[in-house]
Amino acid sequence: MSLHDPFDSTRAIARCNCGHHGSQAEHDASLQETEALNQRVLQTTVMRALFPEDGERRKFLSAVGASTAWAAISSLIPFGTLEAMAQEKGSLEKKDLKIGFIPITCASPWIMADPLGFYKKQGLNVSVVKTAGWALIRDKVQNREYDASHMLAPMPLAMSMGIGSNPMPINVATIQNTNGQAITLHVKHKDKRDPKMWKGFKFAVPFEYSMHNFLLRYYVAEHGLDPDKDIQIRVVPPPEMVANLRAGNLDGYLGPDPFNQRAVYDEVGFLHILSKELWDGHPCCSFGVPADFIKQNPNTFAALYRAILTAAAMARDPKNRSLMAEVLSPANYLNQPKTVLEQVLTGKYADGLGNVKNVPDRADFDPFPWYSMAVWILSQMKRWGYVKGEVRYKDIAEKVYLLTDARKRMAEIGMAAPKADYQKFKVMGKEFDFNKPDAYINSFAIKRS
Amino acid sequence: MRSLTLKAGFISVLLFLIFIGAWHMATLPKESAGATGADAEYAALMGKGAEKSGGFPPPLEVGKAFVTYLSDPFYDRGPNDKGIAIQLGHSLARVGLGFFLAVLVAVPLGFAIGMSPLLYRAFDPFIQVLKPISPLAWMPLALYTLKDSNVSGIFVIFICSIWPMLINIAFGVASVRRDWINVARTLEVNPLRKAFLVILPAAAPTILTGMRISMGIAWLVIVAAEMLVGGTGIGYFVWNEWNNLALPNVIFAITMIGVVGMLLDMIFGRLQKLVTYRE
């Protein structure tokens, strides 16, 4: 160990951060040396790739001169960018960040990252700002008031394609949470558990471009109801759902927790079905970052990435869930009774019908952004007419979802990441083949396209 | 006169006590019927036995909210949870700035319109169309073009407070007694002097009435605007407590909004008295 015990009287105390050098100045100088070395290594690698035969390289250099060769090669190969990518832990371009969130349990990991000091550990000073609704999140990201934000998984796809807003390339760095949603119905509908009896019901979803909207549509359509004709689907911000359910404005909603459990707690609703029972492991929210922020601040982005993933790893551990409920309960974060949050996060909950249920993976926080998830989302956007014409599913998915980056960063902090980019899964028992999204859409009886 | 104030005060207190009493009676805890029979675990998960907001809160609970928030008005627990005084400060700053900008625009424009019948007619159709637009309807447009939620909030205050002021100033300036203007004219007073020394004092009461109305509207609008935009301010406070369905805190915030609104109105009432004259 290079760092000596600072309480040892027989030794001189380390004068720099790492303990290897006599003074901080020496430490900095050697750091610069490392950077120069990195650059050299990179250049050597590129030259070796261009000229497998060293004789060729020498001939080329002596013919055109070193500086011309450098200019010619660097016009083809972006050395600067490569260096930025190579220097993972280089200096942060921006330290003070503003991140928006909606007060729902989906946002738990990165809210937790604040009190647990995960951002500070990466040298970032992040303020997580509570926001009133998804449309406002979209606007504040477009206005650059937020550097990155909690977003619904379909939002970056829609925003990048310019649907429902001006086009602005947004990337999904990680999925924020999986499962964790539910269909809640008003207590007066306790005897109407069959969706076929829901004709004329008024439902709410948090946003048009949300998994909630697509899952609710899917669910009722599988039961023979046309979501555009037989029921009404309104956009209501999650925090206002319970109040609207109580007032009788809504018959139910497919909403994010804690507002499903909160309706049970306030005895105005019951949990009809968990979203996990529709598609186990479905994505819900994501960590959305504007593409130009990533380009301008590669090191800050990498640091933020590590912090978010550390938080996800922490949140996945069932042991931490009770603690999370405690930390998230105050007014600065979710502002909800602790017992409500605990029921959502631990999966031991009252369903509003008099039963205690135990579903440990009711809410999970798997961060891996599968391309196949994006393809499914796009297929539903097409199915319900949010996008018209031909959709290049895989191109868009691979452009918006940063799966390769996520895999790399997960490896950095020692998280296991899947090797595949796409996977098949089942939604309500029906298999989704990511290679044939159009055939998938055509296999449904109720659709808009 | 003295005894009248005393009597009125007595009746006010009595009304308040009756109101609180009625409220207390109406929100007395009912015997919970459903709890019996259900097993203990379920009841615990439903928050039975614990302090829980069921229905409308009784006055005692609201009183507790008053004590907790007023005893520590300046706390700051992160960006999303600040004391009531800080929240009110944010709201007042927004209202103040928006209102001040409106004054800057409305006073010169109002004078110009009031003094010139031609301009009055020319501007009239625009004012008539823009006046009835709900200030919050501007919000999406403001957010989109101004690209800043805080500036948008201030803009909304500006746009809602400008019309009553403009109309009142123009009206006040236009209806200054002809005799006084004619006297100024015979004395060959230059237009600037005429505006400041004759018209301004004569129209001041009407102008202040306009400002008083504007301030009232601005204070109404800021709460709604902050509920939409969020972040800071008393409107955000109400919204945040609504999330938690914490009605005692909402009632507390409503009372604070009322008290501050009353104080603002009283300030303008005083100013109005200062400039009133007798013919």
Side-chain angles (χ1 to χ4, degrees):
Chain A
M1 202 178 97
S2 58
L3 199 59
H4 301 303
D5 182 3
F7 293 98
D8 187 346
S9 64
T10 63
R11 282 177 180 282
I13 197 163
R15 305 291 161 119
C16 77
N17 288 346
C18 73
H20 281 292
H21 310 95
S23 70
Q24 188 66 34
E26 247 179 82
H27 169 97
D28 290 343
S30 85
L31 208 69
Q32 271 174 12
E33 265 171 48
T34 328
E35 273 177 29
L37 199 71
N38 270 340
Q39 203 175 350
R40 197 40 66 78
V41 168
L42 204 100
Q43 287 168 5
T44 315
T45 319
V46 170
M47 289 306 272
R48 200 174 284 149
L50 285 174
F51 304 98
E53 286 275 343
D54 199 45
E56 293 270 354
R57 180 185 65 90
R58 289 188 180 182
K59 253 190 259 169
F60 173 69
L61 284 177
S62 58
V64 300
S67 59
T68 320
W70 165 248
I73 290 171
S74 60
S75 73
L76 294 174
I77 292 164
F79 275 106
T81 326
L82 285 176
E83 271 163 38
M85 281 162 80
Q87 289 168 18
E88 295 298 40
K89 301 207 171 169
S91 62
L92 299 174
E93 296 85 359
K94 192 171 179 194
K95 283 188 181 150
D96 297 312
L97 299 180
K98 240 181 162 181
I99 296 184
F101 77 95
I102 300 278
I104 51 181
T105 38
C106 305
S108 309
W110 75 18
I111 297 176
M112 289 295 290
D114 182 25
L116 290 179
F118 292 164
Y119 297 124
K120 288 234 166 58
K121 210 185 269 168
Q122 300 289 345
L124 295 170
N125 183 18
V126 173
S127 61
V128 281
V129 186
K130 201 185 280 188
T131 313
W134 292 111
L136 201 64
I137 289 257
R138 177 196 63 206
D139 291 348
K140 285 194 169 186
V141 168
Q142 292 210 320
N143 296 349
R144 325 268 162 198
E145 277 185 59
Y146 292 155
D147 297 296
S149 182
H150 170 200
M151 283 185 182
L152 294 156
M155 271 173 81
L157 292 165
M159 286 172 78
S160 299
M161 291 158 79
I163 298 168
S165 69
N166 280 352
M168 174 179 183
I170 307 275
N171 286 122
V172 169
T174 72
I175 291 295
Q176 199 168 31
N177 65 315
T178 44
N179 299 339
Q181 325 301 309
I183 296 181
T184 301
L185 291 181
H186 195 283
V187 276
K188 69 182 176 207
H189 298 311
K190 271 184 184 169
D191 53 341
K192 295 186 186 147
R193 298 299 299 276
D194 184 355
K196 292 195 177 66
M197 304 163 85
W198 292 358
K199 238 176 199 181
F201 271 30
K202 284 171 288 199
F203 280 99
V205 293
F207 197 60
E208 288 206 302
Y209 306 103
S210 65
M211 288 305 293
H212 310 85
N213 186 17
F214 300 148
L215 284 174
L216 180 64
R217 282 168 173 272
Y218 193 106
Y219 180 71
V220 297
E222 287 298 286
H223 288 94
L225 294 183
D226 187 322
D228 289 314
K229 291 176 192 144
D230 297 331
I231 59 167
Q232 207 186 91
I233 300 182
R234 298 178 179 173
V235 172
V236 177
E240 294 160 27
M241 284 176 170
V242 181
N244 274 305
L245 191 69
R246 184 198 289 273
N249 278 343
L250 299 172
D251 294 294
Y253 49 80
L254 203 164
D257 268 314
F259 296 102
N260 301 305
Q261 197 61 48
R262 185 66 205 252
V264 173
Y265 183 78
D266 278 285
E267 293 167 62
V268 292
F270 66 92
L271 300 181
H272 171 68
I273 191 171
L274 296 180
S275 64
K276 174 186 174 284
E277 297 165 56
L278 305 180
W279 169 4
D280 193 6
H282 74 82
C284 171
C285 296
S286 62
F287 168 36
V289 192
D292 53 3
F293 177 85
I294 301 176
K295 220 172 275 160
Q296 286 155 20
N297 311 286
N299 295 334
T300 300
F301 176 60
L304 190 60
Y305 221 136
R306 284 189 291 269
I308 298 286
L309 285 170
T310 318
M314 180 279 307
R316 292 206 77 178
D317 190 344
K319 282 203 305 283
N320 295 331
R321 296 289 175 82
S322 285
L323 172 80
M324 284 169 69
E326 174 128 28
V327 176
L328 294 170
S329 161
N332 193 26
Y333 299 126
L334 297 185
N335 200 14
Q336 290 289 335
K338 191 191 150 206
T339 129
V340 170
L341 296 177
E342 203 164 9
Q343 291 178 60
V344 173
L345 292 167
T346 62
K348 188 174 181 208
Y349 64 92
D351 66 352
L353 297 165
N355 313 311
V356 176
K357 295 210 174 166
N358 205 345
V359 186
D361 56 351
R362 171 179 177 179
D364 202 354
F365 301 93
D366 187 351
F368 196 67
W370 290 96
Y371 290 146
S372 35
M373 287 173 169
V375 173
W376 188 84
I377 291 167
L378 289 167
S379 78
Q380 296 304 302
M381 284 168 76
K382 174 94 188 275
R383 176 182 179 187
W384 300 117
Y386 292 103
V387 275
K388 304 249 156 42
E390 197 196 336
V391 181
R392 299 164 65 98
Y393 300 95
K394 286 194 173 180
D395 288 355
I396 300 172
E398 288 171 22
K399 209 167 170 188
V400 173
Y401 277 45
L402 300 178
L403 177 136
T404 330
D405 290 54
R407 190 178 283 140
K408 196 167 97 190
R409 305 287 168 207
M410 282 167 84
E412 269 176 23
I413 63 160
M415 278 173 92
K419 290 213 167 52
D421 294 351
Y422 290 88
Q423 69 170 0
K424 287 190 180 173
F425 49 79
K426 282 184 180 164
V427 183
M428 291 180 74
K430 180 170 171 151
E431 191 172 71
F432 171 63
D433 183 353
F434 51 83
N435 287 314
K436 295 174 195 128
D438 277 320
Y440 180 69
I441 298 171
N442 288 330
S443 71
F444 293 107
I446 303 175
K447 57 180 179 284
R448 292 284 91 76
S449 66
Chain B
M1 190 67 196
R2 185 82 180 267
S3 68
L4 188 68
T5 330
L6 213 67
K7 272 183 204 158
F10 178 72
I11 294 175
S12 290
V13 170
L14 202 68
L15 280 175
F16 183 70
L17 289 178
I18 291 172
F19 169 67
I20 295 284
W23 180 6
H24 180 72
M25 295 305 285
T27 53
L28 276 177
K30 291 186 201 88
E31 295 294 319
S32 49
T36 51
D39 63 308
E41 193 178 26
Y42 187 77
L45 289 175
M46 293 295 284
K48 293 272 157 55
E51 269 188 63
K52 184 179 159 187
S53 56
F56 203 82
L60 205 66
E61 240 176 273
V62 179
K64 263 188 225 155
F66 270 81
V67 173
T68 14
Y69 282 107
L70 287 179
S71 61
D72 187 9
F74 292 103
Y75 73 84
D76 186 351
R77 295 186 203 119
N80 307 312
D81 186 17
K82 297 181 197 301
I84 188 74
I86 298 180
Q87 305 284 26
L88 282 170
H90 276 285
S91 297
L92 282 171
R94 281 197 193 109
V95 166
L97 198 59
F99 183 79
F100 177 70
L101 290 174
V103 170
L104 280 189
V105 174
V107 170
L109 198 62
F111 262 79
I113 293 173
M115 284 165 78
S116 149
L118 174 72
L119 285 180
Y120 195 101
R121 294 239 174 141
F123 272 92
D124 198 48
F126 297 105
I127 297 177
Q128 295 310 329
V129 170
L130 292 172
K131 188 181 63 172
I133 297 172
S134 160
L136 291 176
W138 291 100
M139 193 53 117
L141 201 66
L143 267 176
Y144 187 83
T145 43
L146 299 173
K147 297 195 179 298
D148 187 292
S149 52
N150 202 19
V151 176
S152 305
I154 294 168
F155 170 77
V156 165
I157 295 300
F158 166 81
I159 204 84
C160 78
S161 39
I162 194 164
W163 308 117
M165 240 190 284
L166 195 60
I167 291 164
N168 269 282
I169 293 172
F171 173 75
V173 170
S175 52
V176 173
R177 271 173 64 178
R178 289 279 101 189
D179 305 355
W180 300 345
I181 307 272
N182 289 338
V183 169
R185 192 181 293 155
T186 46
L187 292 173
E188 292 189 354
V189 179
N190 71 36
L192 214 61
R193 230 177 131 188
K194 186 175 81 182
F196 276 105
L197 292 181
V198 182
I199 297 177
L200 183 63
T206 339
I207 293 176
L208 270 159
T209 310
M211 289 186 175
R212 192 173 173 180
I213 296 169
S214 283
M215 186 47 99
I217 294 174
W219 189 245
L220 291 182
V221 168
I222 192 68
V223 176
E226 283 170 347
M227 282 179 87
L228 267 182
V229 176
T232 48
I234 187 74
Y236 166 77
F237 183 88
V238 172
W239 177 83
N240 196 17
E241 294 306 329
W242 181 29
N243 279 350
N244 194 9
L245 302 174
L247 291 187
N249 300 350
V250 172
I251 295 171
F252 162 71
I254 290 174
T255 316
M256 293 317 282
I257 294 168
V259 169
V260 173
M262 184 185 75
L263 290 177
L264 287 173
D265 193 62
M266 271 165 69
I267 293 172
F268 277 89
R270 277 284 153 78
L271 287 175
Q272 219 175 357
K273 245 181 214 162
L274 281 179
V275 297
T276 309
Y277 56 89
R278 272 192 206 180
E279 284 182 31

